Coordinates of all heavy atoms in Angstrom, one line a residue:
M1 N 350.6 35.0 20.6 CA 350.7 33.5 20.8 C 351.7 33.2 21.9 O 352.8 33.8 22.0 CB 351.1 32.8 19.6 CG 351.1 31.3 19.7 SD 351.3 30.6 18.1 CE 352.5 29.4 18.5
S2 N 351.3 32.3 22.8 CA 352.1 31.8 23.9 C 352.3 30.3 23.7 O 351.6 29.6 23.1 CB 351.5 32.0 25.3 OG 351.3 33.3 25.5
R3 N 353.4 29.9 24.2 CA 353.9 28.4 24.2 C 354.4 28.1 25.4 O 355.3 28.7 26.0 CB 354.9 28.2 23.0 CG 355.3 26.8 22.9 CD 356.3 26.7 21.8 NE 355.5 26.5 20.6 CZ 356.0 26.4 19.4 NH1 357.3 26.8 19.1 NH2 355.2 26.1 18.4
S4 N 354.1 26.8 26.0 CA 354.7 26.3 27.2 C 354.8 24.9 27.1 O 354.1 24.1 26.3 CB 353.8 26.7 28.5 OG 352.6 26.0 28.4
S5 N 355.8 24.3 27.8 CA 356.0 22.9 27.8 C 356.5 22.5 29.2 O 357.2 23.3 29.9 CB 357.1 22.6 26.8 OG 358.4 23.1 27.1
D6 N 356.2 21.4 29.7 CA 356.6 20.8 30.9 C 357.3 19.4 30.6 O 356.6 18.6 29.9 CB 355.4 20.6 31.8 CG 354.9 21.9 32.3 OD1 355.6 22.9 32.6 OD2 353.7 22.0 32.4
T7 N 358.5 19.2 31.2 CA 359.1 17.9 31.0 C 359.5 17.4 32.4 O 360.1 18.1 33.2 CB 360.5 18.1 30.2 OG1 360.1 18.9 29.0 CG2 361.2 16.8 29.9
V8 N 359.1 16.2 32.5 CA 359.5 15.4 33.8 C 360.7 14.6 33.7 O 360.8 13.9 32.6 CB 358.3 14.6 34.4 CG1 358.7 13.9 35.6 CG2 357.1 15.5 34.5
S9 N 361.7 14.6 34.6 CA 362.9 13.8 34.5 C 362.5 12.4 34.4 O 361.5 11.9 34.9 CB 363.9 14.1 35.6 OG 363.3 13.8 36.8
A10 N 363.5 11.5 34.0 CA 363.3 10.0 33.9 C 363.0 9.5 35.3 O 362.1 8.5 35.5 CB 364.5 9.4 33.3
D11 N 363.6 10.0 36.4 CA 363.3 9.5 37.7 C 362.0 10.1 38.3 O 361.6 9.7 39.4 CB 364.5 9.7 38.7 CG 364.8 11.2 38.9 OD1 364.0 12.1 38.6 OD2 365.8 11.4 39.6
G12 N 361.3 11.1 37.7 CA 360.1 11.6 38.2 C 360.2 12.6 39.3 O 359.2 13.0 39.8
R13 N 361.4 13.1 39.5 CA 361.6 14.0 40.7 C 361.8 15.5 40.2 O 361.7 16.3 41.1 CB 362.9 13.5 41.4 CG 362.8 12.2 42.1 CD 363.9 11.8 42.8 NE 363.8 10.5 43.4 CZ 364.8 9.8 43.9 NH1 366.0 10.4 44.0 NH2 364.6 8.6 44.4
T14 N 362.0 15.6 39.0 CA 362.3 17.1 38.5 C 361.4 17.5 37.4 O 361.3 16.7 36.5 CB 363.8 17.2 38.1 OG1 364.6 16.9 39.2 CG2 364.1 18.7 37.8
L15 N 360.8 18.7 37.5 CA 360.0 19.2 36.4 C 360.7 20.4 35.8 O 361.1 21.4 36.6 CB 358.6 19.6 37.0 CG 357.7 20.4 36.1 CD1 357.1 19.5 35.0 CD2 356.5 20.9 36.9
T16 N 360.9 20.4 34.6 CA 361.4 21.6 33.9 C 360.3 22.2 33.1 O 359.8 21.5 32.2 CB 362.6 21.2 33.0 OG1 363.6 20.6 33.9 CG2 363.3 22.5 32.4
S17 N 360.1 23.5 33.2 CA 359.1 24.2 32.5 C 359.7 25.3 31.7 O 360.6 26.0 32.1 CB 358.1 24.8 33.4 OG 357.4 23.8 34.2
A18 N 359.1 25.5 30.4 CA 359.6 26.5 29.6 C 358.3 27.3 29.1 O 357.3 26.7 28.8 CB 360.3 26.0 28.4
F19 N 358.4 28.6 29.1 CA 357.3 29.4 28.7 C 357.8 30.6 27.7 O 358.9 31.1 28.0 CB 356.6 30.1 29.8 CG 355.5 31.1 29.5 CD1 354.3 30.7 29.1 CD2 355.9 32.5 29.6 CE1 353.3 31.6 28.8 CE2 354.9 33.4 29.2 CZ 353.6 33.0 28.8
S20 N 357.2 30.8 26.6 CA 357.6 31.9 25.7 C 356.2 32.6 25.3 O 355.3 31.8 25.1 CB 358.4 31.4 24.5 OG 357.6 30.5 23.7
S21 N 356.3 33.8 25.1 CA 355.1 34.5 24.6 C 355.6 36.0 24.1 O 356.5 36.5 24.6 CB 354.1 34.7 25.9 OG 353.1 35.5 25.5
A22 N 354.7 36.5 23.3 CA 354.8 37.9 22.8 C 353.5 38.5 23.1 O 353.2 39.6 22.5 CB 355.3 38.0 21.4
D23 N 352.6 37.9 24.0 CA 351.3 38.4 24.3 C 351.4 39.5 25.4 O 351.1 39.3 26.5 CB 350.3 37.4 24.8 CG 350.0 36.4 23.7 OD1 350.2 36.7 22.5 OD2 349.6 35.3 24.0
N24 N 351.9 40.7 25.0 CA 352.1 41.8 25.9 C 351.9 43.1 25.1 O 351.8 43.0 23.9 CB 353.5 41.7 26.7 CG 354.6 41.7 25.7 OD1 354.9 42.7 25.0 ND2 355.3 40.6 25.7
A25 N 351.8 44.2 25.8 CA 351.4 45.5 25.3 C 352.5 45.8 24.2 O 352.1 46.4 23.1 CB 351.4 46.6 26.3
A26 N 353.7 45.5 24.3 CA 354.8 45.9 23.4 C 355.0 44.8 22.2 O 355.7 45.1 21.3 CB 356.1 46.2 24.1
G27 N 354.4 43.6 22.4 CA 354.6 42.5 21.5 C 356.0 42.0 21.6 O 356.5 41.4 20.6
T28 N 356.7 42.3 22.8 CA 358.1 41.8 22.9 C 358.1 40.4 23.4 O 357.5 39.9 24.2 CB 358.7 42.7 24.1 OG1 358.6 44.1 23.7 CG2 360.1 42.3 24.3
P29 N 358.9 39.6 22.6 CA 359.0 38.2 23.0 C 359.7 38.0 24.3 O 360.7 38.7 24.6 CB 359.9 37.6 21.8 CG 359.9 38.5 20.7 CD 359.6 39.9 21.4
I30 N 359.2 37.1 25.2 CA 359.8 36.8 26.5 C 359.9 35.4 26.6 O 359.1 34.5 26.0 CB 359.1 37.4 27.6 CG1 357.6 36.9 27.8 CG2 359.1 39.0 27.6 CD1 357.0 37.2 29.1
E31 N 360.9 34.9 27.4 CA 361.1 33.5 27.6 C 361.5 33.4 29.2 O 362.1 34.1 29.7 CB 362.2 32.8 26.8 CG 361.9 32.8 25.4 CD 362.9 32.0 24.6 OE1 363.7 31.2 25.3 OE2 362.8 32.1 23.4
I32 N 360.9 32.3 29.7 CA 361.1 32.0 31.2 C 361.3 30.5 31.3 O 360.5 29.7 30.7 CB 360.0 32.5 32.0 CG1 359.8 34.0 31.9 CG2 360.2 32.1 33.5 CD1 358.5 34.5 32.6
H33 N 362.4 30.1 32.0 CA 362.5 28.6 32.3 C 362.5 28.4 33.8 O 363.1 29.2 34.6 CB 363.9 28.2 31.7 CG 363.8 28.2 30.2 ND1 364.3 29.3 29.5 CD2 363.5 27.3 29.2 CE1 364.2 29.2 28.2 NE2 363.7 27.9 28.0
M34 N 361.9 27.3 34.2 CA 361.8 27.1 35.6 C 362.0 25.7 35.9 O 361.8 24.8 35.1 CB 360.4 27.5 36.2 CG 359.9 28.9 36.0 SD 358.3 29.2 36.2 CE 357.6 28.8 34.7
V35 N 362.6 25.4 37.2 CA 362.7 24.0 37.6 C 362.1 23.8 39.0 O 362.2 24.7 39.9 CB 364.3 23.7 37.7 CG1 364.6 22.4 38.3 CG2 365.0 24.0 36.4
A36 N 361.4 22.6 39.1 CA 360.7 22.3 40.3 C 361.0 20.9 40.7 O 361.4 20.1 39.9 CB 359.2 22.5 40.3
T37 N 360.9 20.6 42.0 CA 361.1 19.2 42.5 C 359.8 18.7 43.0 O 358.9 19.4 43.6 CB 362.2 19.1 43.6 OG1 361.8 20.0 44.7 CG2 363.5 19.5 43.1
R38 N 359.6 17.4 42.9 CA 358.3 16.9 43.3 C 358.2 16.8 44.8 O 359.2 16.3 45.5 CB 358.2 15.4 42.7 CG 356.8 14.7 42.9 CD 356.8 13.3 42.4 NE 356.8 13.3 40.9 CZ 355.7 13.5 40.1 NH1 354.6 13.8 40.5 NH2 355.9 13.4 38.9
V39 N 357.1 17.1 45.4 CA 356.8 17.0 46.8 C 355.8 16.0 47.1 O 355.7 15.5 48.3 CB 356.6 18.4 47.4 CG1 357.8 19.2 47.4 CG2 355.3 19.0 46.9
A40 N 355.0 15.6 46.1 CA 354.0 14.5 46.3 C 353.6 14.0 44.9 O 353.5 14.7 43.9 CB 352.7 15.1 46.9
R41 N 353.5 12.7 44.9 CA 353.0 12.0 43.7 C 351.6 12.2 43.3 O 350.8 12.5 44.2 CB 353.3 10.5 43.8 CG 354.8 10.1 43.8 CD 355.0 8.8 42.9 NE 356.3 8.6 42.6 CZ 356.9 9.2 41.5 NH1 356.3 9.9 40.7 NH2 358.2 8.8 41.2
G42 N 351.2 12.1 42.0 CA 349.9 12.2 41.7 C 349.2 10.8 41.8 O 349.8 9.9 42.4
P43 N 348.0 10.7 41.4 CA 347.3 9.4 41.5 C 347.9 8.3 40.6 O 348.4 8.6 39.6 CB 345.8 9.8 41.1 CG 345.9 11.0 40.1 CD 347.1 11.7 40.7
A44 N 347.8 7.1 41.1 CA 348.3 5.9 40.3 C 347.7 6.0 38.9 O 346.5 6.2 38.7 CB 347.8 4.6 41.1
G45 N 348.6 5.8 38.0 CA 348.1 5.9 36.6 C 348.0 7.2 36.0 O 347.6 7.4 34.8
G46 N 348.2 8.2 36.8 CA 348.1 9.6 36.4 C 349.3 10.1 35.5 O 350.2 9.3 35.3
H47 N 349.1 11.2 34.8 CA 350.1 11.8 34.0 C 351.4 12.1 34.8 O 351.3 12.4 36.0 CB 349.6 13.1 33.3 CG 350.4 13.6 32.2 ND1 351.6 14.3 32.4 CD2 350.4 13.5 30.9 CE1 352.1 14.6 31.3 NE2 351.4 14.1 30.4
A48 N 352.5 12.0 34.1 CA 353.8 12.2 34.8 C 353.9 13.6 35.5 O 354.6 13.8 36.6 CB 355.0 12.1 33.8
V49 N 353.2 14.7 35.0 CA 353.2 15.9 35.6 C 352.3 16.0 36.9 O 352.4 16.9 37.6 CB 352.9 17.0 34.6 CG1 352.7 18.4 35.3 CG2 353.9 17.0 33.5
S50 N 351.4 15.0 37.0 CA 350.4 15.0 38.1 C 351.2 15.0 39.5 O 352.2 14.4 39.5 CB 349.5 13.9 38.0 OG 348.7 13.9 36.9
G51 N 350.6 15.6 40.5 CA 351.2 15.7 41.8 C 351.5 17.1 42.3 O 351.0 18.1 41.6
A52 N 352.2 17.3 43.3 CA 352.7 18.5 43.8 C 354.1 18.7 43.5 O 354.9 17.9 43.7 CB 352.2 18.6 45.2
W53 N 354.4 20.1 43.2 CA 355.8 20.4 42.9 C 356.1 21.7 43.7 O 355.3 22.6 44.0 CB 355.9 20.7 41.4 CG 355.6 19.6 40.5 CD1 354.4 19.2 40.1 CD2 356.5 18.5 40.1 NE1 354.5 18.0 39.4 CE2 355.7 17.6 39.3 CE3 357.9 18.4 40.3 CZ2 356.4 16.5 38.7 CZ3 358.4 17.3 39.6 CH2 357.7 16.4 38.9
R54 N 357.4 21.8 44.1 CA 357.9 23.0 44.6 C 359.0 23.6 43.8 O 359.9 23.0 43.4 CB 358.6 22.7 46.0 CG 359.2 23.9 46.7 CD 359.8 23.6 48.1 NE 358.6 23.3 49.0 CZ 358.5 22.2 49.7 NH1 359.5 21.3 49.6 NH2 357.3 21.9 50.4
Q55 N 358.7 24.9 43.4 CA 359.6 25.6 42.5 C 361.0 25.8 43.2 O 361.1 26.2 44.3 CB 359.0 27.0 42.2 CG 359.8 27.8 41.2 CD 359.1 29.1 40.7 OE1 357.9 28.9 40.3 NE2 359.7 30.1 40.9
Q56 N 362.0 25.4 42.5 CA 363.4 25.6 43.0 C 364.2 26.7 42.3 O 365.0 27.3 43.0 CB 364.1 24.3 42.8 CG 363.6 23.0 43.5 CD 363.6 23.3 45.0 OE1 364.6 23.6 45.5 NE2 362.5 22.9 45.7
A57 N 363.9 26.9 41.1 CA 364.7 28.0 40.4 C 363.9 28.5 39.1 O 363.1 27.8 38.5 CB 366.0 27.4 39.9
V58 N 364.1 29.9 39.0 CA 363.6 30.5 37.7 C 364.8 31.0 37.1 O 365.6 31.7 37.7 CB 362.6 31.6 38.1 CG1 362.2 32.4 36.9 CG2 361.4 31.1 38.9
R59 N 365.0 30.6 35.9 CA 366.3 31.1 35.2 C 366.0 31.4 33.7 O 364.9 31.1 33.2 CB 367.4 30.0 35.3 CG 366.9 28.6 34.8 CD 368.1 27.6 35.1 NE 367.5 26.3 34.9 CZ 367.9 25.2 35.3 NH1 368.9 25.2 36.2 NH2 367.4 24.1 35.0
D60 N 366.9 32.1 33.1 CA 366.8 32.4 31.7 C 365.5 33.3 31.5 O 364.7 33.0 30.5 CB 366.7 31.2 30.8 CG 368.0 30.3 31.0 OD1 369.1 30.8 31.2 OD2 367.9 29.1 30.8
V61 N 365.3 34.2 32.3 CA 364.1 35.1 32.1 C 364.6 36.3 31.2 O 365.6 37.0 31.5 CB 363.7 35.8 33.5 CG1 362.6 36.7 33.3 CG2 363.3 34.5 34.4
S62 N 363.8 36.5 30.2 CA 364.2 37.5 29.2 C 364.2 38.9 29.9 O 363.5 39.2 30.8 CB 363.2 37.6 28.1 OG 363.1 36.4 27.4
A63 N 365.1 39.7 29.5 CA 365.3 41.0 30.2 C 364.0 41.9 30.2 O 363.7 42.5 31.3 CB 366.4 41.9 29.4
P64 N 363.2 42.0 29.3 CA 362.0 42.8 29.4 C 361.0 42.2 30.5 O 360.3 43.1 31.1 CB 361.2 42.6 28.0 CG 362.4 42.4 27.0 CD 363.3 41.5 27.8
A65 N 361.0 40.9 30.7 CA 360.2 40.3 31.7 C 360.7 40.7 33.2 O 360.0 40.5 34.1 CB 360.0 38.8 31.5
R66 N 362.0 41.0 33.3 CA 362.6 41.4 34.6 C 362.5 42.8 34.9 O 362.8 43.2 36.1 CB 364.1 40.9 34.6 CG 364.3 39.4 34.4 CD 365.8 39.1 34.7 NE 366.7 40.0 33.9 CZ 367.4 39.6 32.9 NH1 367.1 38.4 32.3 NH2 368.2 40.4 32.2
L67 N 362.1 43.6 33.9 CA 362.2 45.1 34.2 C 360.8 45.6 34.7 O 359.8 45.5 34.1 CB 362.5 45.8 32.9 CG 362.6 47.4 33.0 CD1 363.7 47.8 34.0 CD2 362.8 47.9 31.5
L68 N 360.9 46.2 35.9 CA 359.8 46.9 36.5 C 360.3 48.3 37.0 O 361.3 48.4 37.6 CB 359.2 46.1 37.7 CG 358.7 44.8 37.5 CD1 358.3 44.1 38.9 CD2 357.4 44.8 36.6
T69 N 359.5 49.4 36.7 CA 359.8 50.7 37.1 C 358.8 51.2 38.0 O 357.6 51.1 37.7 CB 360.0 51.6 35.8 OG1 361.0 51.1 35.0 CG2 360.4 53.0 36.4
F70 N 359.2 51.6 39.2 CA 358.3 52.1 40.2 C 358.4 53.6 40.4 O 359.6 54.1 40.3 CB 358.5 51.5 41.6 CG 358.4 50.0 41.5 CD1 359.5 49.2 41.4 CD2 357.1 49.4 41.6 CE1 359.4 47.8 41.4 CE2 357.0 48.0 41.6 CZ 358.1 47.2 41.5
K71 N 357.4 54.4 40.4 CA 357.4 55.8 40.7 C 356.4 56.2 41.7 O 355.2 55.8 41.6 CB 357.2 56.6 39.3 CG 357.3 58.1 39.5 CD 357.1 58.7 38.2 CE 357.0 60.3 38.3 NZ 356.7 60.8 37.0
E72 N 356.8 57.0 42.6 CA 355.9 57.5 43.6 C 355.8 59.1 43.5 O 356.9 59.7 43.6 CB 356.3 57.0 45.0 CG 355.2 57.4 46.1 CD 355.6 56.8 47.5 OE1 356.8 56.8 47.7 OE2 354.7 56.3 48.1
A73 N 354.7 59.6 43.5 CA 354.5 61.1 43.4 C 353.4 61.5 44.3 O 352.2 61.3 43.9 CB 354.4 61.6 42.0
G74 N 353.6 62.0 45.5 CA 352.6 62.4 46.4 C 351.7 61.1 46.7 O 352.2 60.2 47.2
D75 N 350.5 61.3 46.5 CA 349.6 60.1 46.9 C 349.4 59.1 45.7 O 348.4 58.3 45.7 CB 348.2 60.6 47.4 CG 347.4 61.3 46.3 OD1 347.9 61.7 45.2 OD2 346.2 61.5 46.5
R76 N 350.2 59.1 44.6 CA 350.0 58.4 43.4 C 351.2 57.4 43.3 O 352.3 57.7 43.5 CB 349.8 59.2 42.2 CG 348.6 60.1 42.3 CD 348.4 61.0 41.2 NE 348.2 60.4 39.9 CZ 347.1 59.9 39.4 NH1 346.0 59.9 40.2 NH2 347.0 59.4 38.2
F77 N 351.0 56.2 42.8 CA 351.9 55.2 42.6 C 351.8 54.7 41.1 O 350.7 54.5 40.7 CB 351.8 54.0 43.5 CG 352.7 52.9 43.5 CD1 354.0 53.0 44.0 CD2 352.4 51.8 42.6 CE1 354.9 52.0 43.8 CE2 353.3 50.8 42.5 CZ 354.5 50.9 43.1
T78 N 353.0 54.6 40.4 CA 353.0 54.3 39.0 C 354.0 53.0 38.9 O 354.9 53.0 39.5 CB 353.5 55.3 38.1 OG1 352.6 56.5 38.2 CG2 353.5 54.9 36.7
L79 N 353.5 52.0 38.1 CA 354.3 50.9 37.9 C 354.3 50.7 36.3 O 353.3 50.9 35.7 CB 353.7 49.6 38.4 CG 354.3 48.3 37.8 CD1 355.5 47.9 38.7 CD2 353.3 47.2 37.8
T80 N 355.5 50.5 35.8 CA 355.6 50.3 34.3 C 356.4 49.0 34.1 O 357.5 48.9 34.8 CB 356.2 51.5 33.6 OG1 355.5 52.7 33.9 CG2 356.3 51.2 32.1
T81 N 356.0 48.1 33.3 CA 356.8 46.9 33.0 C 357.7 47.0 31.7 O 357.4 48.0 30.9 CB 355.9 45.7 32.8 OG1 355.2 45.8 31.5 CG2 354.8 45.6 33.9
G82 N 358.6 46.2 31.6 CA 359.4 46.2 30.4 C 358.8 45.8 29.2 O 359.3 45.8 28.2
T83 N 357.6 45.2 29.4 CA 356.7 44.8 28.1 C 355.6 45.7 27.8 O 354.8 45.4 27.0 CB 356.2 43.4 28.4 OG1 355.5 43.3 29.6 CG2 357.4 42.3 28.4
G84 N 355.7 46.9 28.4 CA 354.7 48.0 28.0 C 353.4 48.1 28.9 O 352.6 49.0 28.7
E85 N 353.1 47.2 29.8 CA 352.0 47.4 30.7 C 352.2 48.4 31.8 O 353.4 48.6 32.1 CB 351.6 46.1 31.3 CG 351.1 45.0 30.3 CD 352.3 44.2 29.8 OE1 353.4 44.4 30.2 OE2 352.1 43.5 28.8
S86 N 351.3 49.2 32.2 CA 351.5 50.2 33.3 C 350.1 50.5 34.0 O 349.1 50.2 33.5 CB 352.0 51.5 32.7 OG 351.1 52.1 31.8
Y87 N 350.3 51.1 35.1 CA 349.2 51.7 35.8 C 349.6 52.9 36.7 O 350.8 52.9 37.1 CB 348.4 50.7 36.6 CG 349.1 50.2 37.9 CD1 349.0 50.9 39.0 CD2 349.7 48.9 37.8 CE1 349.8 50.4 40.2 CE2 350.4 48.5 38.9 CZ 350.4 49.2 40.2 OH 351.1 48.7 41.3
T88 N 348.7 53.8 37.0 CA 348.9 54.8 38.0 C 347.8 54.8 38.9 O 346.6 55.0 38.3 CB 349.2 56.2 37.3 OG1 350.4 56.1 36.5 CG2 349.4 57.3 38.4
A89 N 347.9 54.6 40.1 CA 346.8 54.5 41.0 C 347.0 55.4 42.2 O 348.2 55.7 42.6 CB 346.7 53.1 41.6
T90 N 346.0 55.9 42.9 CA 346.0 56.7 44.0 C 346.0 55.8 45.3 O 345.1 54.9 45.3 CB 344.9 57.7 44.1 OG1 344.9 58.5 42.8 CG2 344.9 58.6 45.3
Y91 N 346.8 56.1 46.2 CA 346.8 55.2 47.5 C 345.5 55.4 48.1 O 345.0 56.4 48.3 CB 347.9 55.7 48.5 CG 349.3 55.4 48.0 CD1 350.2 56.4 47.7 CD2 349.7 54.1 48.0 CE1 351.5 56.1 47.3 CE2 351.0 53.8 47.6 CZ 351.9 54.8 47.3 OH 353.2 54.5 46.9
G92 N 344.8 54.3 48.4 CA 343.5 54.2 49.0 C 342.4 54.5 48.1 O 341.3 54.6 48.5
G93 N 342.7 54.7 46.9 CA 341.7 55.1 45.8 C 341.1 53.8 45.1 O 341.3 52.7 45.5
P94 N 340.3 54.1 44.2 CA 339.6 53.0 43.5 C 340.6 52.1 42.6 O 341.6 52.6 42.3 CB 338.6 53.8 42.5 CG 339.2 55.1 42.3 CD 339.9 55.4 43.6
A95 N 340.1 51.0 42.2 CA 340.9 50.2 41.3 C 341.0 50.8 40.0 O 340.1 51.5 39.5 CB 340.3 48.8 41.2
V96 N 342.2 50.6 39.3 CA 342.4 51.3 38.0 C 342.9 50.1 37.1 O 343.4 49.1 37.5 CB 343.4 52.4 38.0 CG1 343.0 53.6 38.9 CG2 344.8 51.9 38.5
P97 N 342.7 50.3 35.8 CA 343.0 49.3 34.8 C 344.6 49.2 34.6 O 345.3 50.2 34.7 CB 342.4 49.6 33.5 CG 342.1 51.1 33.6 CD 341.9 51.4 35.1
M98 N 345.1 48.0 34.4 CA 346.6 47.9 34.1 C 346.5 48.1 32.5 O 346.0 47.3 31.7 CB 347.0 46.4 34.3 CG 348.4 46.1 33.7 SD 349.8 46.9 34.7 CE 350.1 45.6 35.8
V99 N 347.0 49.3 32.1 CA 347.0 49.7 30.6 C 347.9 48.7 29.9 O 349.0 48.4 30.3 CB 347.5 51.1 30.5 CG1 347.6 51.4 29.0 CG2 346.6 52.1 31.3
G100 N 347.3 48.1 28.8 CA 348.1 47.3 27.9 C 347.9 45.8 28.2 O 348.4 45.0 27.6
D101 N 347.3 45.5 29.4 CA 347.1 44.1 29.8 C 345.9 43.6 29.2 O 344.8 44.1 29.3 CB 346.9 44.1 31.3 CG 346.6 42.7 31.8 OD1 347.4 41.8 31.6 OD2 345.5 42.5 32.4
F102 N 346.0 42.4 28.4 CA 345.0 41.9 27.6 C 343.9 41.1 28.5 O 342.8 41.0 28.1 CB 345.5 40.9 26.6 CG 346.5 41.5 25.6 CD1 347.7 40.8 25.3 CD2 346.2 42.7 25.0 CE1 348.6 41.3 24.5 CE2 347.1 43.2 24.0 CZ 348.3 42.6 23.8
G103 N 344.3 40.9 29.8 CA 343.4 40.1 30.7 C 342.5 41.0 31.5 O 341.6 40.6 32.2
G104 N 342.6 42.4 31.3 CA 341.8 43.3 31.9 C 342.0 43.5 33.4 O 341.1 43.8 34.3
T105 N 343.2 43.2 33.8 CA 343.6 43.4 35.3 C 343.3 44.7 35.8 O 343.6 45.7 35.2 CB 345.1 43.0 35.4 OG1 345.4 41.7 34.9 CG2 345.6 43.1 36.8
M106 N 342.8 44.7 37.0 CA 342.5 46.0 37.8 C 343.4 46.0 39.0 O 343.7 44.9 39.6 CB 341.0 46.0 38.3 CG 340.1 46.1 37.0 SD 340.1 47.5 36.0 CE 339.4 48.7 37.2
V107 N 343.9 47.2 39.4 CA 344.9 47.3 40.5 C 344.5 48.4 41.4 O 344.0 49.5 40.9 CB 346.3 47.7 39.9 CG1 347.3 47.9 41.0 CG2 346.7 46.7 38.8
S108 N 344.6 48.1 42.7 CA 344.4 49.1 43.7 C 345.6 49.1 44.8 O 346.3 48.0 44.9 CB 343.1 49.0 44.5 OG 343.1 47.8 45.1
V109 N 346.0 50.3 45.2 CA 347.2 50.4 46.1 C 346.6 51.2 47.4 O 345.7 51.9 47.4 CB 348.4 51.1 45.5 CG1 348.9 50.2 44.4 CG2 348.0 52.5 45.0

């Protein structure tokens, strides 16, 4: 299960977003908090979140979400995440599945 929330400041200039989830291969809970500033307003009468935003900061990212391990061996490249997803692909080879990714992501290098 994932949960996210967006909060717009009283003056409408700052968006604070929070995301939490354990939807990953290891079932590890992660949290991410982001702050953005408004660069364009949405349509008149639109929701407070409507419009264009520029990300300013990403903070309070859980340790497993920050961990990436890279390994190169000959013509093969391996990526492993702190939440248990991984792939090993051959440079210039076919796309391979991201193991443990619920979305069915395919990767080529």
